[in-house]
Amino acid sequence: KNEVEQSPQNLTAQEGEFITINCSYSVGISALHWLQQHPGGGIVSLFMLSSGKKKHGRLIATINIQEKHSSLHITASHPRDSAVYICAVRSDRGSTLGRLYFGRGTQLTVWP
Amino acid sequence: GAVVSQHPSWVICKSGTSVKIECRSLDFQATTMFWYRQFPKQSLMLMATSNEGSKATYEQGVEKDKFLINHASLTLSTLTVTSAHPEDSSFYICSARIGGSYNSPLHFGNGTRLTVT
């Protein structure tokens, strides 16, 4: 079982729709990252958070440490948001301290 | 913002040859760089952690003699795939960490798609 599970695996939306991608994890963490991987493969870090909520433009990331769950929301989605979104968590425990665990990613396609 | 440059973006090589991939931090010093491998539709898999001036730390199952990592300066780490075979065909991507804290921000290169024929 993967330490980080994302859902859904694939998501298709119409332009303007509100998008939610979920991430659940099973390890103790010091931080959680949301990453965006473009079709060419390059990865951009969207958020790093350890509690609460962060907002950047149309993107909002939330985390619930007690429930070991995070969500990435995209408001007013646009075709340029089409990408793979990856959740990654950084372990805070023992021999795995600092190690990053990655989810498999969510492929988002936004149609005009 | 911080930029990590990875080169080449794609490479095709013949079986048995070696391929070198470079990862440069352009506007910051990266004491630690990470090398990942990604198969289609799969998670990123950490291959090794590269620290400037010291030997890389390889993950279990990653052959250090096959995947040679050199981090000779604070701005450059290289991954050399030696005696490449078709099963080494994959997407390789590096990332660099600014600062020494585990929770420092991560910056990724654009990746290298390796095809071994």
Side-chain angles (χ1 to χ4, degrees):
Chain A
K1 184 182 183 298
N2 203 14
E3 289 83 357
V4 181
E5 297 286 351
Q6 283 184 238
S7 63
Q9 272 188 297
N10 294 284
L11 184 54
T12 303
Q14 208 68 35
E15 183 174 357
E17 286 185 0
F18 181 82
I19 303 291
T20 296
I21 300 171
N22 295 300
C23 174
S24 296
Y25 53 91
S26 58
V27 296
I29 71 167
S30 58
L32 181 144
H33 297 260
W34 280 104
L35 310 171
Q36 181 189 53
Q37 186 169 29
H38 292 285
I43 293 177
V44 173
S45 178
L46 299 175
F47 294 104
M48 181 176 72
L49 64 166
S50 54
S51 66
K53 174 179 172 178
K54 285 191 176 180
K55 185 176 190 293
H56 185 247
R58 295 180 294 107
L59 274 59
I60 302 166
T62 64
I63 187 169
N64 184 317
I65 296 293
Q66 286 73 32
E67 294 187 3
K68 295 190 172 181
H69 181 270
S70 174
S71 293
L72 176 68
H73 306 285
I74 304 176
T75 60
S77 59
H78 192 275
R80 65 174 174 267
D81 297 326
S82 298
V84 175
Y85 292 84
I86 300 171
C87 173
V89 300
R90 188 172 300 286
S91 170
D92 69 349
R93 299 293 163 85
S95 61
T96 62
L97 178 67
R99 184 187 182 94
L100 271 180
Y101 294 93
F102 293 86
R104 292 188 179 211
T106 296
Q107 172 69 62
L108 171 65
T109 304
V110 182
W111 297 104
Chain B
V3 176
V4 174
S5 174
Q6 188 172 339
H7 179 82
S9 54
W10 60 270
V11 58
I12 301 172
C13 71
K14 291 189 175 181
S15 190
T17 61
S18 296
V19 174
K20 180 185 282 188
I21 303 170
E22 292 187 348
C23 182
R24 292 180 185 274
S25 56
L26 294 186
D27 52 0
F28 64 98
Q29 292 183 332
T31 53
T32 304
M33 291 188 177
F34 305 89
W35 287 96
Y36 298 92
R37 184 173 181 174
Q38 186 180 33
F39 292 106
K41 308 286 186 187
Q42 299 294 316
S43 305
L44 278 77
M45 288 173 36
L46 179 65
M47 298 176 67
T49 301
S50 166
N51 293 296
E52 185 267 337
S54 63
K55 289 184 179 179
T57 303
Y58 289 82
E59 293 299 300
Q60 193 171 12
V62 177
E63 298 176 59
K64 62 181 181 183
D65 294 329
K66 180 165 186 63
F67 298 99
L68 300 178
I69 290 173
N70 184 285
H71 194 159
S73 76
L74 285 170
T75 58
L76 174 64
S77 176
T78 60
L79 167 68
T80 302
V81 183
T82 63
S83 187
H85 288 105
E87 57 264 31
D88 298 325
S89 298
S90 188
F91 186 71
Y92 296 85
I93 190 164
C94 68
S95 73
R97 188 169 69 198
I98 299 177
S101 165
Y102 286 121
N103 287 328
S104 298
L106 287 175
H107 302 276
F108 289 85
N110 282 330
T112 297
R113 188 159 304 282
L114 170 64
T115 303
V116 185
T117 60

